[in-house]
Amino acid sequence: AEMAAARLSGSENRLVSLPLSRIRVIMKSSPEVSSINQDALFLTAKATELFVQYLATYSYKHGRGKEKNALTYTDLSHTAEECETFQFLADILPKKILASKYLKMLEKEKRDGEVREDDDEGEEEEDEDEA
């Protein structure tokens, strides 16, 4: 049985591109996981690999990188934003924006926040009048 397991683990490594040791470390980082079955480790690694391939292929086919024969970060972030299947990745693959645009957004939020605080105070006064 040990020889079969050794042979299996040798062929498993060729079937999966991702390093199983790193996948094991990530899986063990979950407090609910105490031990990891070798088959579960292999299947998790293979499923992750297939998912990444699917994400990359989808993003390439639906992105602009195709014109340059390249997959770009923008293609990936657009997929995360637009495709329902990948929307859970939107926080991990945020749309890139220029720093100047970001600073303007922050300024606008700060101004809007100040306006909102004034509005809130007005509402509180109205509530007091009604009481």
Side-chain angles (χ1 to χ4, degrees):
E2 283 180 35
M3 286 177 70
R7 250 188 328 211
L8 187 62
S9 64
S11 63
E12 277 175 6
N13 288 331
R14 279 181 250 119
L15 293 171
V16 181
S17 303
L18 298 172
L20 295 178
S21 58
R22 293 296 294 256
I23 302 281
R24 183 189 307 276
V25 168
I26 294 167
M27 290 172 77
K28 282 204 170 210
S29 71
S30 174
E32 297 89 37
V33 176
S34 54
S35 65
I36 299 162
N37 176 307
Q38 196 62 24
D39 291 338
L41 175 64
F42 171 73
L43 291 171
T44 301
K46 192 65 185 174
T48 303
E49 186 179 307
L50 292 171
F51 173 78
V52 171
Q53 286 175 358
Y54 178 55
L55 170 64
T57 303
Y58 185 96
S59 299
Y60 179 78
K61 284 181 181 171
H62 295 85
R64 290 202 193 121
K66 199 169 34 183
E67 299 158 12
K68 301 173 190 166
N69 204 23
L71 175 63
T72 66
Y73 178 87
T74 304
D75 295 335
L76 292 168
S77 66
H78 182 76
T79 295
E81 189 179 8
E82 299 297 323
C83 178
E84 200 174 322
T85 306
F86 298 109
Q87 279 180 350
F88 74 99
L89 295 172
D91 293 344
I92 298 165
L93 295 167
K95 212 173 200 174
K96 277 188 178 178
I97 61 168
L98 295 173
S100 57
K101 275 189 182 178
Y102 180 69
L103 291 172
K104 283 179 187 171
M105 281 171 48
L106 286 178
E107 284 174 24
K108 185 180 184 313
E109 281 178 19
K110 190 177 175 188
R111 283 195 307 271
D112 290 350
E114 287 168 3
V115 170
R116 271 192 224 113
E117 284 171 20
D118 295 343
D119 290 347
D120 289 347
E121 287 170 14
E123 286 169 18
E124 285 170 18
E125 287 168 15
E126 287 168 20
D127 291 344
E128 287 170 13
D129 292 342
E130 289 170 16

